Amino acid sequence: MKSSKSAYSEPGKIGKIDHHIIVVWVDNEAGVLARVVGLFSGRGYNIESLAVAEVDKRKHLSRITIVTSGTPQVIEQIKLQLKKLIPVHKVADFSRNDPKILFQELALLKVVSTKKNQQKVKKMCKKYNPIILDRSKKSFVIQVTALRREIDRLIENLRPLGLVSASRTGAVAMTKGAEVFK
Amino acid sequence: MSKLFTGAEIVFKCLEDQKVEYIFGYPGGAVLPIYDELKNHKSIKHILVRHEQGAGHAAEGYARSSGKPGVLLVTSGPGATNAVTALTDAYMDSVPLVCISGQVPTHLIGTDAFQECDTTGITRPCTKHNWLVKDVNELSKVIHQAFKVATTGRPGPVLVDIPKDIQFKKGKYIFKDSKQKLNGIKNKKLNIKEIDQLIKMIKNSSKPIFYTGGGVINSGPEASKLLRELVSLTGFPITSTLQGLGAYPGDDPQFLGMLGMHGTYEANNAMHDCDLMINIGARFDDRITGKVDEFSPKSKKIHIDIDPSSVGKNIKVDLAVISDVSHLLKALIKRFKEKNKDFLSSNKQKTSKWWSQIEKWREKKSLKFKNSETIIKPQYAVQRLYELTKNKDTYITTEVGQHQMWAAQHYKFNKPNRWMTSGGLGTMGYGLPAAVGVQVANPGKLVIDIAGEASVLMTMQEMSTAAQYKLPIKIFILNNQYMGMVRQWQEILHEKNYSESYTAALPDFVKLAEAYGCVGIRATKPSELDQKINEMISVDKPVIFDCVVDKNENCFPMIPSGKPHNQMLLGEDDEEEEISEEGKILV
């Protein structure tokens, strides 16, 4: 489409789209996840994965980790809009390529296949801290932890070898070293 | 042990401690305990509206004209959903509202009970925050926090949903200033470096302009005073958004009129060509910027806003200051005076070329129109209304459409809080109930809703409210029998295919007024207009004024589809360029 001719603001030049991991600390109260997720859907932001759980029982604090993508302007808006929500305490934003940050996702994979292929699968999972959680004659369930794109790739590669079901937690993140995000 | 109160009592104790004088509402099953308690609280007067949307807009009118939060009380289900339009309107235009809604008893929530709806779910995206109170001991804390959230920072609506059993239950009442953080809402300490940089940018510019918005009004009357001081101190031209009108005197020579899609030629060209834009409390809305890529391409931009998320949302700026307007202006003026004695005369030379360019644009007289001897031109009607009411402290509300733009163009405001209009959401039907709220807040003052006949029919039932409370609001209808703005777009963009924009079978507005126990006046000729307007003003009753105007008049000037600020259409004499297919789709 050539440049549009509207008095409504039109799509300008779209900047480079980056992947970011947004971490939000919130009061664990009714509806808080809906507020955060509703903000994303209402304003047309992306959610690639979402991980949430209470991390401080005493203070009722939950930590939400969202993998998103957008132009630098959109990422900035996401942070500013999140900070306006009343139950939000703090918001951290990490670039996917930030070397100071650990990213990790956990996946459970169920494989139904021949002995031979089962061996192959185990071999392929070796790099990703595999734990066999369940085993039967024809199948097993294996737990792996890795980066998102590693799990993406692993799943693609395991499909022809009998992968029948995959369950993933979504990425979680933490700073390296003694530093704590304030 | 401290005394226990019912939930309903706690609601009123909160309202009393928040010094609420009026609530706008409509009773129903799920709020009956609260209504039952009303009689015991004489300091709080309830205004019974005819539709919950009316309650919301009335509360908005009350808030905008008084600077205090507006409070509405509605029942569950349809009561709450009817209020959604008004809450969204308030959210878009940053009006502080506290909506208290009844809910079905807690044990029935989630069972699709009678008049149940997921009120907090529905209103989540159109409020700053909302609460469903399931514990009566939390109620007082929540309501007080609701007022705080609504009125601090960038103001906006909040909602407190109270199940009926909680209204009956007894609990503790607590009122202490909550210390809970409210997310960047408190006045931040200003950075002196930022102020110095701002002053430096002011001094370096030769083609500056102030672009001010509703944030100045929301910051209180003090902000308008300070703005006037700053503008006269610098000698710079100033333009205002729709919501900012009144913060700076509309008849002052430094004022270029409103900017934007239907703004003046001089304001929009000055915005386009300036080398320094100082945005105070405006949000670079798309009605202002037009084509974003070509918006004021050569200027340095300063943005002063209380809401951090407003900065950089639509337009990149060179310097952003997050602050309440009056807080910043006070510091800025002080620092500016210290460092620049006699700036005005020493800087005159530097901006003289700029001013003479502005004068050239002004000579176009972009608000001109061809007047008529036989038929009332809508612009003429607004001009006469202005001339005949300008010496009174008049409050104007509007509906949405052509009449709204004509009111903004031709009515000159001199004070803040005198202009109530739905800008962000563009809600037809806003003006009449808003006028009700304005009149409640300002007894004895002249309150006029400049209306269109299509808009006003959307909330016409509120005339009954005006009659009940003897609120002498004046509904000044510019009646052209069309949804005028729709008709205008259809004329320009859709080959004059006036699809469904003509209203056949309009009511007789004079008789309609009489049916409500109000006064109806009709004017059809320019020669009788003045006398009839004066008659309207002198009546001490609600009036519907049916001003029959030219059906085919269009609102100019106008930034047409896909054009930047410096390519405005000035009127019918203009050669209109063809608008491309994509333009039609996107408008």
Side-chain angles (χ1 to χ4, degrees):
Chain A
M1 202 173 104
K2 42 176 218 205
S3 78
S4 101
K5 300 263 186 188
S6 171
Y8 269 110
S9 60
E10 55 186 78
K13 284 179 209 107
I14 292 178
K16 196 172 155 263
I17 291 191
D18 276 329
H19 288 260
H20 278 245
I21 288 83
I22 309 274
V23 182
V24 196
W25 286 262
V26 298
D27 289 322
N28 185 16
E29 60 184 32
V32 66
L33 187 61
R35 276 179 218 284
V36 171
V37 172
L39 176 77
F40 275 74
S41 64
R43 291 186 182 266
Y45 308 143
N46 259 332
I47 295 182
E48 291 184 9
S49 84
L50 175 82
V52 50
E54 192 171 70
V55 291
D56 190 329
K57 269 232 141 51
R58 210 166 32 85
K59 293 183 188 159
H60 297 290
L61 278 181
S62 285
R63 179 166 170 148
I64 304 176
T65 310
I66 300 166
V67 180
T68 185
S69 59
T71 61
Q73 212 173 354
V74 165
I75 300 291
E76 191 59 29
Q77 267 295 302
I78 291 175
K79 282 188 283 178
L80 293 171
Q81 294 289 354
L82 281 170
K83 282 181 191 167
K84 278 167 71 175
L85 298 178
I86 305 291
V88 167
H89 287 253
K90 56 181 180 176
V91 179
D93 160 35
F94 307 118
S95 162
R96 187 167 65 171
N97 305 317
D98 192 334
K100 289 191 198 131
I101 309 298
L102 295 166
F103 299 114
Q104 208 64 196
E105 177 168 334
L106 185 146
L108 302 183
L109 307 169
K110 180 177 280 188
V111 177
V112 181
S113 68
T114 60
K115 271 264 145 57
K116 202 174 145 203
N117 278 348
Q118 286 189 21
Q119 285 312 317
K120 267 192 193 167
V121 169
K122 283 176 197 162
K123 216 172 144 195
M124 287 168 79
C125 292
K126 216 168 187 176
K127 275 197 289 189
Y128 308 121
N129 318 308
I131 302 172
I132 308 268
L133 299 175
D134 173 65
R135 212 190 302 260
S136 77
K137 246 190 194 148
K138 278 191 261 170
S139 73
F140 64 90
V141 175
I142 189 166
Q143 169 193 308
V144 293
T145 50
L147 292 175
R148 272 179 69 70
R149 20 186 177 172
E150 290 169 338
I151 295 177
D152 285 345
R153 219 178 309 128
L154 185 65
I155 285 175
E156 274 319 298
N157 294 338
L158 294 189
R159 245 182 248 289
L161 298 174
L163 176 71
V164 294
S165 182
S167 176
R168 305 170 63 166
T169 58
V172 290
M174 193 162 277
T175 49
K176 287 184 186 168
E179 229 174 284
V180 176
F181 182 82
K182 289 263 157 59
Chain B
M1 201 179 130
S2 61
K3 203 182 161 219
L4 294 182
F5 301 92
T6 67
E9 284 174 313
I10 289 172
V11 168
F12 280 99
K13 284 187 76 63
C14 289
L15 297 181
E16 282 166 352
D17 279 339
Q18 291 289 341
K19 305 196 170 46
V20 172
E21 290 174 84
Y22 292 95
I23 49 180
F24 300 89
Y26 203 104
V31 275
L32 283 180
I34 297 177
Y35 272 89
D36 192 38
E37 185 60 26
L38 182 63
K39 62 179 188 300
N40 301 325
H41 303 270
K42 294 289 178 229
S43 69
I44 294 168
K45 285 164 228 76
H46 180 268
I47 306 291
L48 174 66
V49 294
R50 300 300 183 264
H51 185 288
E52 289 86 351
Q53 184 190 352
H57 293 322
E60 283 187 272
Y62 179 88
R64 295 215 128 212
S65 62
S66 69
K68 291 183 271 188
V71 180
L72 58 153
L73 176 59
V74 299
T75 192
S76 63
T81 57
N82 279 345
V84 166
T85 301
L87 291 173
T88 313
D89 191 275
Y91 192 59
M92 293 285 273
D93 284 343
S94 311
V95 184
L97 292 190
V98 177
C99 178
I100 294 170
S101 58
Q103 181 57 277
V104 301
T106 39
H107 74 277
L108 286 179
I109 290 178
T111 65
D112 297 323
F114 177 64
Q115 291 195 327
E116 183 191 354
C117 75
D118 177 8
T119 304
T120 47
I122 290 169
T123 57
R124 204 171 283 134
C126 62
T127 53
K128 277 181 84 177
H129 196 63
N130 60 20
W131 297 260
L132 170 62
V133 183
K134 286 180 160 177
D135 175 358
V136 70
N137 290 311
E138 291 284 305
L139 185 58
S140 52
K141 197 182 99 196
V142 166
I143 295 179
H144 286 304
Q145 208 204 343
F147 274 88
K148 195 155 189 179
V149 171
T151 52
T152 47
R154 180 177 175 179
V158 297
L159 178 139
V160 182
D161 202 23
I162 312 174
K164 193 169 180 178
D165 56 326
I166 301 298
Q167 299 169 29
F168 281 124
K169 261 196 197 134
K170 289 203 163 187
K172 275 181 268 180
Y173 177 76
I174 303 156
F175 178 35
K176 57 169 193 268
D177 218 8
S178 80
K179 293 220 166 53
Q180 200 180 339
K181 53 145 204 77
L182 293 163
N183 284 350
I185 278 162
K186 275 274 138 144
N187 273 336
K188 212 176 62 154
K189 221 174 168 216
L190 286 167
N191 183 342
I192 197 80
K193 271 190 195 147
E194 281 178 347
I195 293 182
D196 283 345
Q197 200 191 336
L198 213 162
I199 292 173
K200 200 172 149 202
M201 288 167 87
I202 287 178
K203 282 164 79 176
N204 286 342
S205 75
S206 55
K207 297 195 282 183
I209 188 163
F210 284 108
Y211 149 47
T212 62
V216 183
I217 312 272
N218 273 339
S219 183
E222 174 80 2
S224 295
K225 272 192 210 132
L226 292 165
L227 177 67
R228 289 162 197 218
E229 189 181 348
L230 180 66
V231 173
S232 81
L233 212 58
T234 54
F236 291 174
I238 171 170
T239 177
S240 166
T241 66
L242 182 72
Q243 292 299 1
L245 294 175
Y248 192 84
D251 52 6
D252 186 277
Q254 273 173 267
F255 187 64
L256 307 187
M258 182 177 74
L259 80 159
M261 185 171 266
H262 292 288
T264 66
Y265 188 70
E266 55 271 31
N268 282 329
N269 274 291
M271 284 290 278
H272 187 270
D273 287 2
C274 64
D275 68 357
L276 176 68
M277 179 186 297
I278 308 162
N279 171 347
I280 306 178
R283 61 184 177 92
F284 293 112
D285 159 85
D286 68 282
R287 302 290 94 171
I288 297 300
T289 59
K291 198 173 178 183
V292 180
D293 292 347
E294 292 175 46
F295 174 70
S296 194
K298 284 164 281 184
S299 62
K300 290 247 183 265
K301 297 175 187 75
I302 298 170
H303 191 175
I304 298 158
D305 204 302
I306 199 164
D307 176 4
S309 71
S310 277
V311 173
K313 181 166 64 181
N314 302 326
I315 299 287
K316 281 204 180 108
V317 295
D318 301 278
L319 173 66
V321 185
I322 305 301
S323 170
D324 170 56
V325 169
S326 50
H327 188 58
L328 174 93
L329 288 184
K330 212 179 280 169
L332 175 63
I333 289 170
K334 187 162 169 260
R335 187 83 175 162
F336 192 82
K337 277 183 178 163
E338 277 169 18
K339 294 200 129 188
N340 305 280
K341 301 264 180 305
D342 208 24
F343 175 83
L344 189 56
S345 53
S346 63
N347 200 54
K348 217 164 209 164
Q349 189 69 26
K350 206 168 174 184
T351 54
S352 66
K353 258 196 183 158
W354 179 231
W355 270 111
S356 57
Q357 176 62 57
I358 288 170
E359 289 309 324
K360 269 185 211 142
W361 287 323
R362 260 187 181 153
E363 278 161 25
K364 285 262 187 188
K365 296 204 184 328
S366 59
L367 297 182
K368 69 175 184 283
F369 57 94
K370 278 194 204 116
N371 211 350
S372 158
E373 298 273 295
T374 52
I375 187 161
I376 300 173
K377 289 285 182 174
Q379 301 96 322
Y380 177 71
V382 175
Q383 284 183 348
R384 291 319 300 159
L385 187 69
Y386 169 64
E387 291 299 330
L388 297 170
T389 58
K390 68 178 178 186
N391 294 325
K392 295 181 163 57
D393 191 10
T394 309
Y395 290 73
I396 302 286
T397 71
T398 75
E399 310 291 335
V400 169
Q402 284 183 322
H403 67 274
Q404 177 190 28
M405 292 298 112
W406 282 318
Q409 290 172 340
H410 296 279
Y411 204 101
K412 312 261 177 262
F413 295 90
N414 283 306
K415 286 186 193 167
N417 305 101
R418 299 299 186 276
W419 166 244
M420 275 60 57
T421 193
S422 169
L425 193 64
T427 310
M428 291 171 73
Y430 167 88
L432 198 165
V436 167
V438 173
Q439 190 79 78
V440 166
N442 302 277
K445 293 289 169 70
L446 179 60
V447 180
I448 303 173
D449 170 25
I450 299 180
E453 82 292 340
S455 284
V456 80
L457 281 174
M458 288 196 176
T459 49
M460 180 52 86
Q461 74 285 348
E462 300 305 331
M463 277 314 277
S464 181
T465 309
Q468 179 175 343
Y469 297 95
K470 301 192 168 45
L471 303 168
I473 55 171
K474 319 296 183 208
I475 310 303
F476 189 78
I477 303 174
L478 299 176
N479 184 351
N480 63 1
Q481 298 177 39
Y482 276 104
M483 293 152 217
M485 196 58 96
V486 174
R487 195 203 57 75
Q488 178 169 345
W489 283 102
Q490 288 173 332
E491 180 182 326
I492 296 171
L493 289 168
H494 297 276
E495 293 87 34
K496 306 191 180 180
N497 174 19
Y498 299 128
S499 180
E500 302 293 326
S501 56
Y502 180 77
T503 316
L506 279 170
D508 178 333
F509 284 106
V510 173
K511 283 190 182 152
L512 189 59
E514 285 160 4
Y516 280 115
C518 307
V519 175
I521 300 173
R522 178 174 294 120
T524 55
K525 292 193 295 281
S527 56
E528 61 180 1
L529 192 57
D530 279 23
Q531 174 235 324
K532 295 215 161 162
I533 289 175
N534 281 328
E535 187 189 333
M536 170 184 88
I537 296 167
S538 65
V539 177
D540 191 27
K541 269 183 148 188
V543 176
I544 297 179
F545 190 110
D546 185 16
C547 186
V548 180
V549 298
D550 188 348
K551 283 185 196 174
N552 299 312
E553 192 67 21
N554 282 338
C555 183
F556 288 113
M558 169 181 183
I559 302 178
S561 299
K563 301 289 183 191
H565 274 172
N566 60 347
Q567 295 175 39
M568 298 194 80
L569 291 181
L570 287 175
E572 274 140 49
D573 317 327
D574 256 27
E575 287 294 316
E576 281 170 30
E577 278 177 64
E578 279 291 301
I579 287 158
S580 73
E581 282 302 312
E582 296 100 273
K584 283 181 204 171
I585 294 160
L586 280 154
V587 166

